[in-house]
Each structure stands twice: as C-alpha cells, then as structure tokens.
C-alpha cells in the first residue's frame, strides 16, 4: 500500500468537495497537540470540538459531501489505514470506531452512479483498493475482538458504526441507501411501473404494510469470513452488537415491496438501488381524494391542508415558488446550466451543477441543483442539495422556506419545526405564516399542545391570516370550542 507524499502535486489534482484535503491530512498526521483551531465545514453541527477533531470531520465532509464520491478518497484512504493503526497502537478505541465508521460512510458514496468515468492510474487505484480491504478486515477484527466494548457504546455512536459496516464490507449500495434513509425511510422505485415511493417510513405502521420483511436467519450459523450474503452477514453483526432496533429495520430493507400503484412485487434492495441510480424516470403518484377529517380526533393519512399563505396571498412555504425565485437569483451566473434547462435536459443540468460544485461550492448553485432534482422527482437529492446550500448560507430565508414544503414525510416535518423556528427569528415580518406552518407540523407529529400555542399566537397577530384555509382548518381541528375573538 502506497502513501502519497503530502507534498505531492497529486493532492491538488485529486480533490475533495471544497478543494485540496492536504491541510487536513497534515493536521491529522501531526497529532492533536499540534492542531490549530479549525472552522467547521459541517456548520449545522452544534457540538463543541477541538481543532484535531474538526479537521477529521472536515476531511470526512470533503470526501462524502452530499453522498457524492470525490477523487481525494483515492489518496486519503491509505493514510486513514495508517492513522487507524496509530490509534490501535495507542489503544484509543473511540478513535478506532470513529475512523472506521466515517470511512464506511465515505465508501458508501463509492457507488457506480457517483462516478464520471475518469481514469485513475493503476498505482493509485491499487493502493486505494488495498486500503479498502484492510479497513474491512480491521472492522471485522474490532467487531469480533471488542464486541462487548462496542455494545457499551452510546446509541448514536453504535448506530454510526453499524451504518458504516456495509460500506466497509463491500455492499456499498446498501450502505448508500441506509445513509440516505437514516434507517427511517425506504426510497423504493417500482421495477414495473416506475413509481418512486418516498412516503415509506418504517416508523409508520400503515406505510410498513407495503413491505413484507425478510425472515430472520439462524444468526449463529453465519460464516464470519464471507460477506456475499448481505442480509445474513449484516443481520448477524447487528444481532451480535445488540442493535435490536436496526436489526428489525434491516428485515424491511431486505424484504419484499408491493407497489401501491400497480401491485407488482419485488425485492426492496433492487427498488432502493433503482431509486438512486437515475436510470429510470420516476412516475408520480396520482393525487388521492381528500379524506374526511371533520369527526373529532380524525386525521388524514397525509396532510390535507392547503399551502400556508400570507395575508398578501404569497405562497411563502411552497417549495416550487421558493426554488423558482432562487433560480431567478441564479440567472446569468450559470448560463450553461440554464441552457440545458431551456432545452429540457434536466439530468444534464443536474450533472453540470455537480461538476461546477466540485470546482467552487456556491449556495446558489446548490439551489439550482435542487431545482433540477425537484423537476426529476428526486426528493432525497433535492433535500441534500438544500441542506448543503443552507450550510453555506445558514441565514438564507429562501433556502429555509424551500426546505419546508407542505407535503413531506413525518421525519422531515420534525426537521421543519426547527427551520420554521429559525425563520421566525430571521423574517419576523411573516411571523404569522410561520406560526401556522409550524402548528401544522407540530400537529402532524403529535405535539398538539405546541400546535395550540402557535395557533393562539397567530390569532393574537390578527389580520388576513385568520381567513386562510390552513388557520381555519387547524383551529377547527384543535380548538373547536375556543372563540377566535
């Protein structure tokens, strides 16, 4: 295994999401004592960390930003083996777990649809592949030799390690799907009719009925040297680590999906891959008839209210509107992307955005990319692009609005609450709109008392807001006996 010298010009040729990663590697190999303070690339991470840990986080963000693959990985992974061996010699288990977990996530981005076909010199590629093999073997050693220590990890750390395992052990497409779904959502595209199911949340009993979970195997019979049967090997590892919740969810990720549109059945893993590889256009589901929510305590299966409107009639919270306005801001800045959009080449425009982002990250370009994904029906990618834009422009009102569409999954609604709270601080002029929008999310996620407080606050503001469909629907649903006046 060859370690590319840190003074080599190759570090400028093989770059990460934001440029060369040479500086991060120099800091990590010099040791914690010599690490200067660093600015976080993961700007939405609130945890306090020293310069050494931030350098490591920044490196990982450079390698797997937006779950894209960056060629800096070819040079970095051999060095990560060296760093891991250094932490092994020091007996530093937390750092061993962290390195393996994050490298597993980086390898999860090394999937066919993330490559542009660039040729890599044989020496570099061989060294990269050797480091991948070594990392996988070290993950297995840690799993079997330090099982009890791993079982004592806190829930988040153990979950991160478990999520990185399939990337380290060869099934990167499964790892990619797990990272994208956060162990909560299955993005499945039907192989028969092309319907892209983005509503399948494993925490929702109704949605879970679409999948027949795979039967549990006899975990004690697994061959620890073979990883070709993902469900058997990975399920056994989760069982060994005591990750019972993840073990249960894996049965769904490896189960059989029934399409609600055409009734066709197929393996969930194939549907997951089909949803992300972009080889087949997505088919939108026809709108369902509104359900009656007039009876006490009734609730529609999906949100039934209309988009939240300001008294002036502006659809502030409509994703299409926000992205369109952002696209207007970007007009003239990326004319080659706009030219592709003008001729209807949406996939080409999205790909061109990705190429330009590797040269120079720009929040406006991420929003333009999100606009492309919106037109392609790729909600997970849209969500990632808007999150990346927000990291570069954390106080941008337009991005925050676009991240809070009316129709979304329950998990995304929980995130919307935070975004809407931030919007109230940044854009008090439209406080009433945000209060009603947040009340709707709180109601949908089960916090009816919080929703009532927001509705009362919106009522006290008065004005045309009280005549909107959203407000009147929610008031009737949550405060039917309380007068508006």
């Amino acid at each position: 295994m060859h370690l590319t010298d840190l003074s080599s010009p190759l570090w400028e040729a093989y770059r990460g999401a934001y440029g060369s990663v040479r500086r991060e590697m120099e800091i990590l190999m010099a040791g914690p004592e010599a690490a200067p303070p660093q600015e976080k690339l993961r700007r939405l991470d609130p945890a306090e960390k020293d310069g050494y840990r931030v350098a490591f986080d920044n490196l990982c963000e450079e390698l797997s930003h937006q779950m894209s693959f960056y060629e800096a990985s070819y040079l970095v992974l051999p060095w990560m083996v060296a760093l891991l061996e250094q932490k092994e010699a020091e007996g530093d288990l937390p750092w061993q777990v962290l390195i393996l977990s994050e490298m597993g996530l980086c390898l999860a981005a090394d999937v066919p649809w993330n490559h542009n076909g660039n040729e890599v010199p044989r020496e570099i590629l061989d060294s990269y592949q050797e480091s991948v093999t070594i990392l996988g073997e070290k993950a297995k050693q840690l799993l079997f030799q330090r099982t009890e220590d791993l079982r004592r990890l806190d829930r988040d750390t153990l979950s991160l390690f478990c999520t990185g395992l399939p990337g380290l052990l060869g099934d990167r497409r499964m790892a990619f799907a797990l990272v994208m779904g956060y162990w909560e959502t299955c993005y499945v595209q039907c192989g028969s009719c092309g319907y892209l199911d983005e509503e399948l949340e494993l925490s929702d009993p109704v949605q879970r009925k679409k999948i027949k979970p795979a039967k549990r195997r006899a975990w004690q019979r697994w061959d620890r040297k073979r990883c070709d049967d993902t469900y058997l090997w990975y399920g056994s590892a989760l069982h060994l680590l005591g990750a019972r919740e993840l073990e249960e969810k894996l049965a769904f990720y490896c189960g059989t999906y029934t399409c609600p549109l055409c009734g066709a059945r197929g393996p969930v893993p194939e549907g997951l891959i089909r949803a992300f590889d972009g080889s087949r256009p997505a088919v939108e589901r026809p709108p369902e008839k509104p359900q009656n929510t007039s009876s006490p305590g009734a609730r529609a299966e999906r949100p039934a209210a209309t988009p939240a409107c300001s008294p002036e009639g502006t659809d502030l919270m409509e994703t299409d509107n926000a992205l369109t306005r952002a696209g207007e801001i970007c007009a003239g800045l990326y004319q080659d992307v706009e030219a592709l959009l003008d001729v209807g080449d949406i996939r080409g425009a999205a790909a061109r955005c990705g190429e330009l982002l590797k040269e120079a990250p720009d929040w406006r370009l991420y929003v333009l990319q999100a606009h492309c994904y919106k037109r392609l029906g790729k909600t997970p990618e849209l969500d990632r692009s808007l999150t990346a834009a927000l990291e570069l422009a954390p106080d941008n009102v337009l991005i925050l609005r676009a991240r809070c569409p009316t129709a979304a999954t329950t998990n995304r609604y929980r995130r919307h609450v935070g975004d809407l709270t931030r919007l109230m601080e940044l854009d008090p002029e439209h406080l009433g709109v945000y209060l009603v929008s947040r009340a709707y999310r709180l109601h949908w996620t089960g916090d009816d008392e919080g929703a009532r407080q927001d509705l009362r606050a919106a009522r006290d503001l008065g004005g045309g807001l009280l005549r909107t469909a959203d407000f009147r629907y929610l008031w009737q649903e949550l405060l039917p006996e309380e007068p508006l006046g």
Side-chain angles (χ1 to χ4, degrees):
M1 185 181 67
H2 173 71
L3 296 178
T4 302
D5 192 282
L6 294 177
S7 63
S8 169
L10 288 173
W11 292 96
E12 297 300 326
Y14 291 83
R15 301 164 69 84
Y18 299 95
S20 172
V21 299
R22 184 204 313 266
R23 178 59 176 159
E24 287 79 6
M25 281 307 315
E26 290 174 341
I27 293 172
L28 291 173
M29 299 316 296
E33 298 79 9
Q38 303 290 307
E39 181 179 351
K40 290 181 179 180
L41 289 179
R42 296 174 175 174
R43 293 179 175 85
L44 303 182
D45 178 8
E48 291 291 332
K49 299 176 181 179
D50 60 28
Y52 189 74
R53 174 59 193 274
V54 173
F56 179 79
D57 287 355
N58 286 352
L59 176 66
C60 296
E61 181 69 9
E62 290 267 15
L63 298 184
S64 61
H65 179 63
Q66 290 265 284
M67 280 304 288
S68 297
F69 180 80
Y70 296 91
E71 293 184 339
S73 297
Y74 292 127
L75 306 184
V76 168
L77 255 68
W79 280 100
M80 286 295 101
V81 172
L83 183 63
L84 178 60
E85 291 175 342
Q86 176 184 316
K87 300 303 180 183
E88 287 176 336
E90 296 170 357
D92 194 332
L93 180 64
W95 265 98
Q96 293 175 57
V97 171
L98 179 63
I99 293 170
L100 288 170
S101 300
E102 289 284 3
M103 289 306 103
L105 300 186
C106 291
L107 286 170
D110 187 2
V111 287
W113 53 85
N114 273 346
H115 286 272
N116 54 18
N118 291 343
E119 187 173 348
V120 180
R122 174 54 55 185
E123 180 184 14
I124 292 176
L125 190 59
D126 286 348
S127 185
Y128 171 74
Q129 296 293 357
E130 185 180 354
S131 64
V132 171
T133 300
I134 294 173
L135 288 171
E137 290 301 316
K138 288 187 176 295
K140 286 190 283 187
Q141 289 174 15
L142 198 67
L143 176 63
F144 300 133
Q145 296 174 9
R146 303 292 297 273
T147 305
E148 291 305 316
D149 292 325
L150 293 175
R151 289 171 69 100
R152 286 192 289 269
L153 294 172
D154 66 83
R155 179 181 177 182
D156 290 342
T157 302
L158 179 61
S159 178
L160 184 68
F161 179 73
C162 291
T163 305
L165 272 180
L168 291 166
L169 300 176
D171 196 343
R172 298 172 191 167
R173 296 184 298 182
M174 174 61 79
F176 185 92
L178 293 175
V179 173
M180 292 295 290
Y182 303 102
W183 285 97
E184 291 293 340
T185 305
C186 282
Y187 299 108
V188 182
Q189 186 172 12
C190 176
S192 296
C193 70
Y195 168 56
L196 179 61
D197 195 334
E198 296 178 307
E199 299 179 349
L200 211 166
E201 295 183 77
L202 297 182
S203 59
D204 186 336
V206 175
Q207 293 293 327
R208 283 168 72 133
K209 291 180 180 179
K210 298 176 184 176
I211 295 179
K212 180 181 179 181
K215 294 182 179 179
R216 291 190 179 184
R217 307 281 190 83
W219 300 139
Q220 67 273 18
R221 297 179 183 176
W222 62 317
D223 184 346
R224 296 183 176 188
K225 295 181 180 179
R226 296 184 59 187
C227 303
D228 52 339
D229 186 332
T230 299
Y231 183 48
L232 177 59
W233 205 102
Y234 193 28
S236 301
L238 296 178
H239 186 79
L240 182 67
L241 292 170
R244 298 292 183 263
E245 182 180 356
L246 301 186
E247 181 185 347
E248 178 187 356
K249 291 179 178 179
L250 181 66
F252 284 87
Y253 277 101
C254 295
T256 302
Y257 171 77
T258 300
C259 177
L261 283 193
C262 70
R265 296 180 179 180
V268 172
E270 292 181 8
L272 290 169
I273 295 166
R274 194 178 295 112
F276 291 113
D277 69 5
S279 62
R280 180 170 183 175
V283 174
E284 293 186 2
R285 185 172 187 172
E288 298 179 359
K289 294 181 180 179
Q291 300 184 27
N292 182 13
T293 59
S294 58
S295 59
R299 183 183 294 183
E301 183 176 333
R302 303 306 302 171
T306 57
C309 299
S310 72
E312 297 78 24
T314 303
D315 293 334
L316 295 178
M317 305 312 299
E318 266 299 284
T319 306
D320 286 339
N321 182 59
L323 289 177
T324 299
R325 291 185 60 200
E328 294 171 354
I329 294 174
C330 300
L333 295 178
Y334 299 101
Q335 296 180 0
D336 50 348
V337 176
E338 291 189 337
L340 291 169
L341 289 172
D342 288 341
V343 298
D345 186 1
I346 313 303
R347 294 184 185 277
R352 181 56 180 156
C353 286
E355 294 170 0
L356 292 170
L357 284 167
K358 290 184 179 181
E359 298 174 6
D362 183 340
W363 71 266
R364 293 164 296 190
L365 188 54
Y366 275 120
V367 171
L368 196 56
Q369 185 185 53
H371 177 70
C372 296
Y373 287 139
K374 174 67 177 178
R375 294 177 64 177
L376 291 170
K378 294 289 188 179
T379 303
E381 286 84 351
L382 180 155
D383 206 46
R384 286 190 296 157
S385 295
L386 289 178
T387 298
L390 189 63
E391 289 176 343
L392 293 175
D395 295 335
N396 189 291
V397 170
L398 204 59
I399 299 171
L400 285 164
R401 289 177 184 170
R403 273 167 49 98
C404 299
T406 303
T409 62
T410 302
N411 286 328
R412 290 199 185 110
Y413 276 150
R414 294 190 180 100
R415 189 203 65 196
H416 292 180
V417 171
D419 287 346
L420 289 163
T421 303
R422 183 66 178 141
L423 279 167
M424 293 178 194
E425 301 171 0
L426 296 171
D427 187 24
E429 179 183 352
H430 298 104
L431 176 60
V433 176
Y434 303 136
L435 281 168
V436 175
S437 295
R438 190 172 71 174
Y440 190 68
R441 273 77 174 173
L442 290 170
H443 171 51
W444 187 256
T445 55
D447 185 2
D448 283 353
E449 185 52 41
R452 293 186 185 97
Q453 292 178 13
D454 279 356
L455 287 177
R456 292 187 182 107
R459 176 198 59 186
D460 294 343
L461 292 174
L465 183 70
L466 275 61
R467 297 190 296 271
T468 61
D470 272 3
F471 182 84
R472 301 185 76 82
Y473 161 79
L474 285 172
W475 193 274
Q476 180 63 33
E477 187 82 4
L478 298 172
L479 295 163
E481 305 301 326
E482 191 168 322
L484 275 172

